C-alpha cells in the first residue's frame, strides 16, 4: 500500500517535472524592425514573420528570422540590403538565443508589465556576439507579449558599408522587437 | 524497499537537475530548440524563395535582361557610344569621333512584373518604346521554377527626313516608306549561383525599310547573355545575338558586347565594348555593320539612376 502511494507520488512528480519544461510560448509572426538615422536619410524596415519561442519556466528565449523578409519602403534599398550588406544568399537567417535572467520575478497569474533583463547570443551576417538588453513582458489574462529595443553596431557583425553611402547609413542601428506569444499546447 | 529508495533518490536528483536547469542562463532546453526547428521547418515549407537579382540591371548591356523595375520606380538612363577603336590615336580611339550616339530613356515599373519605357537615340533619329512583362520567376520552396521568363516588345520609329535617308537604302518610289520596326523577345534566364547567371533570348525582328539595306525584313535571332559577379558591386556582363544566316542583311554582323557594371545604391554605371553603334533592339541585333575582327568595336558607357516615386506596396 505504502509502496503504491510512493510510486503514485513519483509519477505525479515526474509529470510535474515534465510540465516544468512545457511552459512554452511561441509566435510565427513576431515583428522586428530596424531604424537607421543620419542627417541625410532615415531608413527603416520591418519583418513581420519573426519566429520566437520563450520558455516561461526557464526563461530561455529564441528568435529566428529570414533576412530577405525585411520590407523596405524603397525597393532598391531592399535589394542592396540583401545583396550587398546582409548577403542573404550566404547568411539567410539572423537568430538570437538567450535567456530572460529575471524570469523568476514573473508570475503568469498576475497581470502586469514586467521589466526584464535579457542576455544571449545574437547572430547576424554569420557573426555571433553576446549581448544584453532590457525589455518588457506584458502579461494579460495569461497572454504574453514582449517588446524590446537595442542597438546593433554594424562593424561588430562585419557588415561593411561602402564609403559612397556612409553618410546615409548609421553606424549603429536601432532594433525594435515586438511579439505576441501563444501557448504551445 | 530498495525500489522506494531508488524512486526517492531519482526524484531528488530530478528535482536538483530541474533547479540547476533553471539557473543555467544560457542553456536552451531540448524541447525549446525542437519547437524552434519545427517552426522553422513549417515556415520553410510555406515560403517561396525567389532568385533575387539574376542580373544587376534591367538591361544586360544593349539588350533587355529578365530584371524588371519594381513598382513605382522611375529609371533615367543615358547611354553613350563613341566612334570605333579603329579610328586610331588621332581620334583618341573613337572618343573624338563624330558622330557619336547618345540615347536618353525613361523607364517605369507599373507593377513589380510589368514595366514600360520610352527613349530617343541620335542614330537615325530613333524614338523607341517598349514593355516588358515577367511571366515566371525562378524560385525554390513552395513554388518551384528553374528559370525566370519574361516577354519584351519594342517598337522603334526612325524620324529621318526623306532627304537624309541614305540613297542606297531608300526604297524605290513605288514602295511605301515604312519607318516603324518591331521586336518581340522571349527572355529566359537562370541564376546558377550567387554570382553567375545565363540568359537566352529568342528574338523576332521586323525591320523598317529606310535605315538599312535588308533583303528580308523579318529576321529571327537568338541571343545569349551572361553575368558574372566580380565583387559585391561589380559585375562582368556579356551579350551576343546570332541572326539566322539566310535572314541576315548583307553587311550586317552579329552583335557582341562586353561590359563591366558598378552598382552604387541607386546608380548603375556600365563601361562597355561593343561592335554595335545603334542603341535600339532592331539596330543592334540586325543592323550592326561593325566587326570585332576589323577593330570596329567601340567604347561606350551606360548610366542609370533610379527614383522611387511614392511608397512601395507590399
Amino acid at each position: 500500500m505504502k509502496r503504491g502511494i510512493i510510486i503514485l507520488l513519483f509519477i505525479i512528480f515526474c509529470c510535474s517535472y515534465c510540465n516544468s519544461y512545457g511552459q512554452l510560448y511561441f509566435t510565427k509572426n513576431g515583428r522586428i524592425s530596424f531604424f537607421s538615422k543620419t542627417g541625410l536619410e532615415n531608413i527603416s524596415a520591418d519583418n513581420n514573420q519573426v519566429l520566437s519561442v520563450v520558455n516561461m519556466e526557464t526563461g530561455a528565449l529564441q528568435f529566428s528570422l529570414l533576412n530577405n523578409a525585411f520590407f523596405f519602403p524603397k525597393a532598391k534599398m531592399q535589394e542592396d540590403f540583401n545583396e550587398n550588406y546582409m548577403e542573404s544568399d550566404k547568411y539567410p537567417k539572423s537568430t538570437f538565443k538567450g535567456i530572460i535572467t529575471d524570469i523568476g520575478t514573473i508570475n503568469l497569474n498576475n497581470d502586469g508589465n514586467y521589466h526584464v533583463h535579457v542576455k544571449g547570443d545574437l547572430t547576424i551576417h554569420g557573426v555571433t556576439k553576446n549581448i544584453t538588453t532590457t525589455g518588457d513582458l506584458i502579461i494579460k489574462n495569461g497572454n504574453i507579449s514582449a517588446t524590446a529595443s537595442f542597438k546593433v553596431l554594424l562593424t561588430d557583425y562585419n557588415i561593411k558599408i561602402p564609403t559612397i553611402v556612409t553618410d546615409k547609413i548609421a553606424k549603429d542601428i536601432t532594433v525594435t522587437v515586438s511579439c505576441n506569444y501563444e501557448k504551445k499546447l | 524497499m530498495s525500489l522506494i529508495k531508488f524512486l526517492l533518490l531519482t526524484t531528488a536528483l530530478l528535482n536538483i537537475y530541474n533547479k540547476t536547469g533553471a539557473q543555467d542562463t544560457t542553456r536552451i532546453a531540448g524541447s525549446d530548440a525542437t519547437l524552434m526547428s519545427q517552426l522553422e521547418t513549417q515556415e520553410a515549407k510555406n515560403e517561396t524563395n525567389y532568385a533575387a537579382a539574376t542580373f544587376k540591371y534591367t538591361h544586360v548591356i544593349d539588350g533587355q535582361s529578365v530584371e524588371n523595375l519594381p513598382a513605382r520606380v522611375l529609371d533615367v538612363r543615358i547611354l553613350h557610344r563613341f566612334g570605333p577603336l579603329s579610328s586610331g590615336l588621332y581620334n583618341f580611339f573613337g572618343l573624338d569621333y563624330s558622330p557619336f550616339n547618345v540615347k536618353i530613356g525613361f523607364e517605369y515599373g507599373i507593377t513589380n512584373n510589368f514595366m514600360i519605357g520610352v527613349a530617343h537615340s541620335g542614330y537615325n533619329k530613333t524614338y523607341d518604346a517598349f514593355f516588358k512583362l515577367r511571366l515566371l520567376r525562378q524560385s525554390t520552396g513552395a513554388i518551384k521554377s528553374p528559370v525566370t521568363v519574361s516577354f519584351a516588345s519594342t517598337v522603334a520609329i526612325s524620324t529621318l527626313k526623306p532627304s537624309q535617308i541614305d540613297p542606297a537604302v531608300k526604297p524605290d518610289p513605288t514602295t511605301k516608306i515604312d519607318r516603324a520596326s518591331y521586336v518581340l523577345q522571349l527572355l529566359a534566364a537562370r541564376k546558377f549561383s550567387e554570382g553567375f547567371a545565363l540568359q537566352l533570348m529568342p528574338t523576332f525582328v521586323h525591320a523598317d525599310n529606310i535605315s538599312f539595306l535588308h533583303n528580308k525584313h523579318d529576321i529571327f535571332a537568338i541571343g545569349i547573355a551572361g553575368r558574372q559577379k566580380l565583387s559585391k558591386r561589380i559585375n562582368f556582363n556579356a551579350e551576343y545575338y546570332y541572326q539566322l544566316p539566310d535572314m541576315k542583311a548583307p553587311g550586317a554582323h552579329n552583335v557582341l558586347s562586353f561590359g563591366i557594371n558598378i552598382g552604387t545604391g541607386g546608380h548603375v554605371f556600365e563601361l562597355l565594348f561593343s561592335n554595335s553603334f545603334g542603341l535600339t533592339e532592331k539596330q543592334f541585333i540586325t543592323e550592326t555593320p561593325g566587326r570585332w575582327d576589323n577593330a570596329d568595336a567601340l567604347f561606350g558607357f551606360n548610366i542609370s539612376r533610379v527614383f522611387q516615386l511614392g511608397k512601395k506596396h507590399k
Side-chain angles (χ1 to χ4, degrees):
Chain A
M1 184 62 191
K2 193 179 172 193
R3 179 185 277 198
I5 291 172
I6 287 176
I7 289 173
L8 191 67
L9 279 175
F10 173 73
I11 291 167
I12 292 169
F13 200 92
C14 278
C15 287
S16 73
Y17 163 76
C18 292
N19 263 342
S20 75
Y21 274 97
Q23 288 283 23
L24 285 179
Y25 288 77
F26 73 100
T27 179
K28 290 200 274 187
N29 44 24
R31 180 185 149 120
I32 288 184
S33 316
F34 65 78
F35 186 63
S36 152
K37 185 180 166 68
T38 63
L40 280 177
E41 195 158 16
N42 291 336
I43 301 168
S44 67
D46 297 323
N47 187 327
N48 292 320
Q49 297 162 44
V50 178
L51 305 177
S52 177
V53 173
V54 57
N55 185 325
M56 292 307 288
E57 197 68 29
T58 63
L61 179 64
Q62 297 175 82
F63 290 92
S64 172
L65 63 80
L66 289 172
N67 295 326
N68 64 13
F70 273 103
F71 180 79
F72 286 71
K74 287 187 181 177
K76 208 70 201 164
M77 283 181 179
Q78 194 160 331
E79 187 185 316
D80 283 345
F81 172 78
N82 287 306
E83 281 273 297
N84 298 333
Y85 305 142
M86 293 301 274
E87 301 179 84
S88 300
D89 275 12
K90 235 191 270 175
Y91 311 107
K93 274 193 254 176
S94 296
T95 60
F96 175 81
K97 281 182 184 170
I99 194 118
I100 302 170
T101 48
D102 35 16
I103 191 76
T105 61
I106 296 168
N107 182 350
L108 279 176
N109 301 319
N110 245 355
D111 284 4
N113 191 341
Y114 298 87
H115 192 65
V116 293
H117 294 79
V118 175
K119 72 173 193 180
D121 294 331
L122 180 63
T123 306
I124 302 174
H125 193 237
V127 180
T128 303
K129 291 265 166 189
N130 199 274
I131 63 159
T132 56
T133 181
T134 59
D136 288 293
L137 274 183
I138 299 131
I139 314 269
K140 203 176 174 190
N141 305 325
N143 295 319
I144 301 170
S145 53
T147 57
S149 178
F150 56 93
K151 290 210 166 187
V152 168
L153 200 63
L154 292 182
T155 49
D156 280 355
Y157 296 91
N158 200 17
I159 298 170
K160 292 187 191 87
I161 304 299
T163 43
I164 197 160
V165 289
T166 39
D167 295 344
K168 292 182 179 174
I169 298 176
K171 286 171 184 57
D172 53 347
I173 307 287
T174 308
V175 178
T176 314
V177 183
S178 166
C179 291
N180 293 314
Y181 290 95
E182 51 186 291
K183 193 167 181 356
K184 171 76 179 169
L185 297 172
Chain B
M1 218 46 197
S2 65
L3 176 65
I4 293 172
K5 268 185 189 162
F6 170 73
L7 289 180
L8 284 173
L9 192 65
T10 320
T11 316
L13 278 174
L14 274 178
N15 207 1
I16 291 163
Y17 176 68
N18 189 6
K19 281 203 172 121
T20 51
Q23 278 157 5
D24 183 353
T25 49
T26 54
R27 205 172 130 266
I28 307 268
S31 54
D32 304 22
T34 313
L35 177 56
M36 189 46 129
S37 57
Q38 272 171 8
L39 292 177
E40 283 177 343
T41 321
Q42 270 174 27
E43 289 301 292
K45 265 185 204 153
N46 300 332
E47 196 91 12
T48 301
N49 256 316
Y50 292 106
T54 305
F55 283 81
K56 177 66 200 168
Y57 184 54
T58 53
H59 297 256
V60 183
I61 295 171
D62 287 322
Q64 302 276 0
S65 79
V66 287
E67 291 303 317
N68 273 56
L69 286 176
R72 292 161 183 247
V73 170
L74 173 73
D75 182 12
V76 179
R77 310 179 68 209
I78 297 170
L79 292 76
H80 197 123
R81 299 292 179 272
F82 295 97
L85 299 175
S86 60
S87 61
L89 179 62
Y90 181 70
N91 283 316
F92 202 66
F93 302 102
L95 266 70
D96 299 347
Y97 194 83
S98 180
F100 46 83
N101 189 16
V102 174
K103 176 169 177 169
I104 296 179
F106 298 90
E107 301 181 0
Y108 184 69
I110 292 174
T111 73
N112 287 331
N113 296 316
F114 183 68
M115 66 180 285
I116 55 169
V118 290
H120 172 80
S121 55
Y123 180 55
N124 281 342
K125 310 221 173 289
T126 306
Y127 288 84
D128 67 18
F130 77 89
F131 74 83
K132 180 160 60 175
L133 177 66
R134 183 159 52 199
L135 306 168
L136 198 62
R137 277 182 88 176
Q138 183 183 338
S139 60
T140 56
I143 304 169
K144 291 186 184 69
S145 164
V147 287
T148 302
V149 178
S150 295
F151 174 75
S153 171
T154 311
V155 178
I157 292 166
S158 165
T159 61
L160 280 179
K161 286 180 188 160
S163 59
Q164 297 281 307
I165 297 171
D166 182 352
V169 176
K170 205 171 183 174
D172 61 79
T174 57
T175 316
K176 200 171 153 249
I177 282 184
D178 182 8
R179 293 178 176 277
S181 61
Y182 310 89
V183 177
L184 306 176
Q185 290 188 287
L186 205 60
L187 315 163
R190 178 166 167 82
K191 190 177 183 180
F192 287 93
S193 69
E194 165 60 16
F196 181 66
L198 265 186
Q199 178 178 280
L200 284 177
M201 306 84 91
T203 302
F204 170 75
V205 180
H206 175 78
D208 59 70
N209 64 5
I210 58 164
S211 45
F212 205 86
L213 196 60
H214 287 279
N215 284 343
K216 292 187 175 162
H217 285 84
D218 294 331
I219 297 144
F220 279 101
I222 176 131
I224 182 163
R227 173 244 185 138
Q228 174 62 51
K229 243 184 182 183
L230 300 180
S231 80
K232 270 191 211 172
R233 253 159 276 281
I234 302 176
N235 297 284
F236 173 76
N237 292 325
E239 188 178 45
Y240 177 72
Y241 279 92
Y242 176 79
Q243 303 169 74
L244 295 191
D246 57 327
M247 296 173 168
K248 198 158 89 173
H253 296 282
N254 293 333
V255 59
L256 174 65
S257 312
F258 302 100
I260 297 274
N261 74 20
I262 306 153
T264 53
H267 287 97
V268 178
F269 297 100
E270 185 157 47
L271 304 175
L272 59 99
F273 289 98
S274 171
N275 56 334
S276 168
F277 189 65
L279 285 171
T280 188
E281 271 75 1
K282 179 224 39 167
Q283 290 168 355
F284 61 76
I285 296 171
T286 66
E287 301 177 354
T288 293
R291 290 169 59 154
W292 273 89
D293 52 7
N294 273 358
D296 291 335
L298 51 84
F299 173 66
F301 62 83
N302 301 338
I303 298 174
S304 145
R305 165 76 210 183
V306 294
F307 300 91
Q308 179 92 32
L309 305 182
K311 282 238 167 173
K312 183 167 82 104
H313 288 305
K314 205 155 200 174

